[in-house]
Amino acid sequence: MSARPIDEPNRAASQLELLFDLTFVVAVAAVTAQLAHEIAAGHALAAIIPFLQVFFAIWWAWMNFTWFASSYDTDDVVYRVLTMVQMAGVLVLAAGVPAAIERADYSVVTLGYVIMRIGLVLLWLRAGLEDPARRRTALRYAVGISVITVGWMYHSMAAPVTAELPLFVILAVLELAVPLWAERAEPTTWHPHHIAERYGLFTIILLGESVLAASRGVTGALKTSEISSPFVMIAVSGLVVLFALWWLYFLVEAGEGLRDRRDRSYVWGYGHYGLFAALAALGAGLEVAVEQSGHAITAAPLTVGYAVAIPVGVFLVLLWLVHARIVAESVLHAVLLSVCAVVVLALPLATPWIGVHGVVAAIAASCVLLITVTIAVNKARVPAPDSGTRRGPGRIRAAAQETSQ
């Protein structure tokens, strides 16, 4: 298990990594469905903290393996088996999601998390044994992860109820600190373009989960009601919102920025927790919005409107904050994103007059307008193309970067 080169050409996600991601589809689907259930039942505020806690476990386990694989993917028998052990842990974690969000019972979630960490620790121990140049780094990872995993077991089984949330915050901060501490010994050789691709793939998975969640809402609405204009408006507008967020995320090519500013990768990588959580929460919000168009639910219309607006607003703000650290001149503009986020967050206040369907439609329109203006502004910043040259969004990005240089 020797370190893979930082500049390895044509580095792409492996088939095993894609299979690994599919197990997380199950976990994300479970947490999204449970959050939607709690929102519809009128327990949105009570469900937020458990949702964020469970999603942290999902995100952190995925991220740890992703960065390890970028440096040490050997694709041999031992590597594959230990990766599959982590996949089994993901499925166990997913089984414990309902109990975690409904009753704050994290025992099964913790069991799944521990299984995943065992697989990862063994991989780090193997890296420490077979890569002498980075042995201290690998052993620091193994020790740090092991010690904190014991803390998670205590949190799940023995911590007083009043201490559970503070202890969770402490353990989460320690988890985030392990890579900072371990990499000080000798940095690992993660591949910037591979990491950017892996994050992009997980973003697509979360957008797909939102489509799945919205389809569950469609199924629930159709069981008790015929197709109505609000139903159609929410379904179409929700899909437009997801298309818009996909478009905005992939306007920025992160690979080059991560290559040139490796020291800022922590902010970029950690900041995606908020982006990913927002996309998962958006799926839950869209599911409830579609469902309420077909029959009455406990949650107030204003709550449903904000269940869609808040994730979109958070995503827009974090998108700029995350990418601004690694690109010289972003094609995303802080003012445009901020204005759109403020508008989106204010739209649910109009629910009494335009309804939930009107709010979701207005959110979709705001996002489409944001994309239109962003593309127009970036076109204005670059020289006109030569005759016969075609220019799409990707070429606009490249031209804007060349202009800035």
Side-chain angles (χ1 to χ4, degrees):
M1 182 169 276
S2 58
R4 298 185 65 154
I6 291 176
D7 56 352
E8 181 180 348
N10 303 318
R11 179 72 188 277
S14 67
Q15 290 89 343
L16 183 61
E17 287 176 311
L18 298 178
L19 179 62
F20 181 80
D21 286 354
L22 284 179
T23 61
F24 280 85
V25 170
V26 179
V28 173
V31 72
T32 301
Q34 198 60 41
L35 178 61
H37 174 75
E38 295 299 316
I39 293 173
H43 306 146
L45 291 178
I48 290 176
I49 291 179
F51 164 76
L52 293 175
Q53 289 177 310
V54 173
F55 194 83
F56 177 86
I58 295 171
W59 165 76
W60 188 244
W62 176 86
M63 200 177 85
N64 276 202
F65 172 78
T66 294
W67 290 76
F68 175 88
S70 191
S71 301
Y72 287 108
D73 184 355
T74 56
D75 198 31
D76 57 10
V77 173
V78 176
Y79 178 85
R80 288 186 174 189
V81 170
L82 291 177
T83 300
M84 291 173 182
V85 168
Q86 295 179 69
M87 294 182 198
V90 176
L91 299 178
V92 173
L93 185 151
V97 168
I101 293 183
E102 290 178 358
R103 305 188 301 275
D105 178 1
Y106 296 97
S107 56
V108 178
V109 168
T110 302
L111 174 61
Y113 189 74
V114 169
I115 293 172
M116 288 188 283
R117 307 311 268 171
I118 290 173
L120 184 62
V121 167
L122 291 175
L123 284 173
W124 276 118
L125 289 174
R126 182 188 175 194
L129 179 66
E130 299 182 12
D131 183 13
R134 295 167 184 80
R135 180 165 296 158
R136 287 182 61 201
T137 301
L139 293 179
R140 284 188 178 191
Y141 270 112
V143 170
I145 292 170
S146 300
V147 170
I148 298 172
T149 299
V150 174
W152 287 119
M153 296 170 66
Y154 172 78
H155 173 271
S156 172
M157 296 183 295
V161 175
T162 56
E164 284 183 351
L165 183 57
L167 182 58
F168 173 88
V169 173
I170 293 172
L171 290 171
V173 171
L174 291 175
E175 287 273 25
L176 297 175
V178 168
L180 293 167
W181 170 60
E183 297 279 337
R184 291 180 63 183
E186 180 67 32
T188 52
T189 59
W190 51 270
H191 194 288
H193 292 282
H194 175 250
I195 288 293
E197 181 195 22
R198 298 290 292 119
Y199 273 70
L201 289 173
F202 201 69
T203 300
I204 292 173
I205 285 175
L206 288 165
L207 289 168
E209 289 292 347
S210 294
V211 174
L212 175 62
S215 70
R216 287 195 299 261
V218 169
T219 302
L222 290 178
K223 285 181 178 179
T224 57
S225 176
E226 296 181 355
I227 295 177
S228 62
S229 55
F231 171 87
V232 173
M233 187 178 293
I234 291 176
V236 173
S237 298
L239 196 58
V240 171
V241 169
L242 297 178
F243 290 162
L245 298 188
W246 169 87
W247 197 307
L248 287 168
Y249 183 88
F250 288 101
L251 275 175
V252 179
E253 295 175 344
E256 298 295 326
L258 289 172
R259 183 197 64 187
D260 298 336
R261 298 170 176 80
R262 292 178 71 90
D263 58 317
R264 300 182 182 180
S265 60
Y266 291 104
V267 175
W268 185 87
Y270 288 0
H272 271 75
Y273 168 69
L275 285 175
F276 290 162
L279 290 177
L282 175 60
L286 289 175
E287 178 176 349
V288 177
V290 174
E291 185 179 351
Q292 63 83 42
S293 68
H295 62 86
I297 60 175
T298 304
L302 181 65
T303 300
V304 178
Y306 271 114
V308 176
I310 291 176
V312 173
V314 170
F315 180 89
L316 294 176
V317 173
L318 289 180
L319 183 63
W320 181 82
L321 290 175
V322 164
H323 287 300
R325 294 286 297 168
I326 65 167
V327 294
E329 186 174 352
S330 179
V331 296
L332 299 172
H333 303 277
V335 174
L336 294 177
L337 288 170
S338 300
V339 170
C340 186
V342 170
V343 171
V344 166
L345 292 173
L347 283 172
L349 297 176
T351 303
W353 297 276
I354 63 177
V356 174
H357 59 284
V359 170
V360 178
I363 291 173
S366 300
C367 292
V368 171
L369 180 60
L370 172 63
I371 294 172
T372 304
V373 175
T374 299
I375 292 175
V377 170
N378 284 302
K379 277 189 175 181
R381 287 166 50 187
V382 299
D386 294 334
S387 177
T389 301
R390 297 178 62 187
R391 173 160 293 170
R395 293 183 179 272
I396 293 172
R397 289 196 304 270
Q401 292 169 359
E402 291 173 4
T403 302
S404 67
Q405 293 171 357

